[in-house]
Amino acid sequence: MQRIAVLTSGGDAPGMNAAIRSVVRTGIAHGFEVYGVLQGYRGCIDGVMKPLTARDVGGIIQLGGTILGSARALEFKTEEGRRKAIREFYQRGIEGLVVIGGNGSQTGAYALTEMGFPVVGVASTIDNDLTGSEMTIGVDTALNIALEAIDRLKVTASSHHRVFLVEVMGRDCGYLALMSGIAGGAEAIVIPEVEVNPESIALEIEHAYERGKSHGLIVVAEGAKYNAQTLASYFREHHKDLGFDVRATTLGHVQRGGTPGAFDRILATRLAAEATEQLAQGRSGVLIGLLRGEITATPLSEVVANPKPLDPKLLELAKVLAM
Ligand code: F6P
C-alpha cells in the first residue's frame, strides 16, 4: 500500500483537525502519500480529493471543525454509491482509507470494508455513542462548552430563584446530558435512555426548593421524549401555583464549534496515528478507540451491531448529589 486517504464525516467534532494532521504526518512517516477527501462520503462519490503534505496540515491542531469539510451523503448508503467511491479511489491508486467520524460514518466504513475496500475508523463524535471507545474525539470539548453555559445559567437562575431547562445535543444518546448534568450540579437530568414524565420532574424541582435551593437546573438531552421547550411549556401551564418561574435554553451547535481542548487534541492525535499504523500493518475493518485508557482496535462489525449503553449508576449518583 502506497497511497491512503482520509476523510471526516457526519457532524463535525472538535479535534477532527488534530486527527487529520496526525493521519497525514504519521502516514508520510510510514512512506504513504496521503490524500484528503473533501465533504466526507460525498467527496468519495464525486472524486473530490487532493494530496496533502505535512505543510498542508500545519497550524490546524488548535482549530475546531474540519478543514476537509463534512457532509451527510444519502447516495453512499446505496451499494452503487459505494461502488462509485471505490472506483474513484482505485483510479487514483488509493488503497486504504481512514474515516474520522461517529456512528453513521462508521456504518459507512463497515459497508466499504464488506465490499473489500480497506478502511480503518477513528472514533469521533460529540455524542460519545460509539461502541469501541469510552471517549470519542470531541466529547470532552463539547462537555466543557455545555458546562460553561450551565455555570452561567445557574448564576442567573439563582438570582431570580428560577428553574432553567438546558437542552444539550447527543442525538439518541444521553451521555452529554448526563455528564454535563453531573459536572454542572443539575437538580434533574432527562435522557432518552430513561423515560420520565413531566409531573415527576416538576415534583423533584418542587422538593429541591423545599430543601432550600435557590434554583432548579434541569439538563435535557435533545433525544429525550420531552425536549426543553416542551417541558418548559408543561411547567408553565400546570405549575403556575408552585411558585417557580421557568426559562429554557437550547445550546445546539454551539457545542460543536469549539476550540478542541488538550484532551481532544491528544486523543485525536493518538487514535489517528494508530489508524495509520493499522493500515501500514495491512490491517483494516476496525475502529480505533480508547478503552480502559488503552488505544484499541475493535472490529467495525461489532461497533455497528452494538449500541453503547449508558452506565445507569451515574444517573443514580446524579440524583444523590442533587440532595
Ligand atoms: O452527531 C452529532 C450531532 O451534533 C448530534 O448531537 C445532533 O443531533 C446532530 O449532530 C445535528 O446534526 P446537524 O448538524 O446535521 O443538524
Side-chain angles (χ1 to χ4, degrees):
M1 198 179 284
Q2 289 183 333
R3 210 169 266 173
I4 62 168
V6 56
L7 63 80
T8 49
S9 163
D12 62 355
M16 278 185 161
N17 281 325
I20 296 166
R21 172 180 177 270
S22 176
V23 171
V24 171
R25 293 191 175 173
T26 59
I28 291 169
H30 279 296
F32 290 138
E33 272 181 74
V34 185
Y35 274 59
V37 181
L38 304 186
Q39 302 302 319
Y41 289 126
R42 183 72 263 153
C44 297
I45 295 169
D46 297 342
V48 191
M49 32 192 117
K50 57 176 185 186
L52 293 172
T53 66
R55 293 287 72 75
D56 289 332
V57 292
I60 65 166
I61 195 167
Q62 76 281 17
L63 301 179
T66 158
I67 60 156
L68 294 177
S70 190
R72 306 192 197 271
L74 284 181
E75 198 184 346
F76 198 79
K77 292 189 173 167
T78 67
E79 200 176 323
E80 179 47 32
R82 292 194 293 278
R83 220 177 276 127
K84 270 195 215 165
I86 292 173
R87 262 200 308 273
E88 293 293 338
F89 286 136
Y90 283 143
Q91 271 168 17
R92 289 168 180 79
I94 294 167
E95 295 168 292
L97 174 68
V98 176
V99 170
I100 303 165
N103 236 323
S105 314
Q106 303 308 338
T107 305
Y110 178 59
L112 266 189
T113 61
E114 285 291 278
M115 291 172 72
F117 193 81
V119 186
V120 175
V122 170
S124 178
T125 162
I126 67 160
D127 302 339
N128 205 29
D129 59 350
L130 264 180
T131 289
S133 200
E134 279 153 10
M135 289 293 275
T136 51
I137 298 167
V139 67
D140 182 68
T141 304
L143 265 176
N144 279 304
I145 294 167
L147 270 182
E148 196 184 326
I150 286 170
D151 291 348
R152 289 176 187 201
L153 292 170
K154 265 174 91 167
V155 170
T156 175
S158 275
S159 306
H160 292 265
H161 281 235
R162 277 175 176 155
V163 168
F164 260 86
L165 292 132
V166 188
E167 186 173 305
V168 298
M169 277 190 162
R171 205 180 288 274
D172 303 320
C173 176
Y175 182 89
L176 270 178
L178 181 56
M179 292 312 196
S180 56
I182 290 174
E187 273 62 51
I189 301 171
V190 183
I191 56 176
E193 290 84 349
V194 180
E195 198 172 319
V196 287
N197 63 53
E199 188 62 41
S200 67
I201 302 167
L203 276 178
E204 272 180 53
I205 298 301
E206 201 190 329
H207 293 152
Y209 279 109
E210 282 165 11
R211 294 197 301 276
K213 295 210 177 194
S214 55
H215 61 250
L217 175 73
I218 306 169
V219 180
V220 185
E222 67 173 351
K225 183 171 174 190
Y226 303 100
N227 68 18
Q229 298 295 344
T230 313
L231 285 171
S233 310
Y234 177 90
F235 291 164
R236 281 190 199 106
E237 244 178 69
H238 298 271
H239 292 275
K240 285 190 201 97
D241 46 334
L242 290 182
F244 54 73
D245 194 12
V246 182
R247 297 287 185 273
T249 301
T250 300
L251 297 185
H253 291 78
V254 164
Q255 290 153 103
R256 258 179 30 196
T259 298
F263 182 88
D264 279 324
R265 294 186 205 189
I266 293 165
L267 181 68
T269 301
R270 293 180 69 200
L271 297 190
E274 178 58 26
T276 317
E277 175 71 34
Q278 293 273 327
L279 285 177
Q281 299 294 328
R283 290 193 285 267
S284 62
V286 289
L287 176 81
I288 307 302
L290 184 75
L291 292 175
R292 296 179 191 274
E294 301 283 326
I295 307 293
T296 52
T298 305
L300 282 169
S301 53
E302 273 179 40
V303 173
V304 301
N306 300 299
K308 183 171 169 183
L310 269 194
D311 183 353
K313 281 193 202 144
L314 286 174
L315 195 58
E316 284 311 310
L317 179 63
K319 281 188 185 151
V320 172
L321 295 174
M323 70 173 54

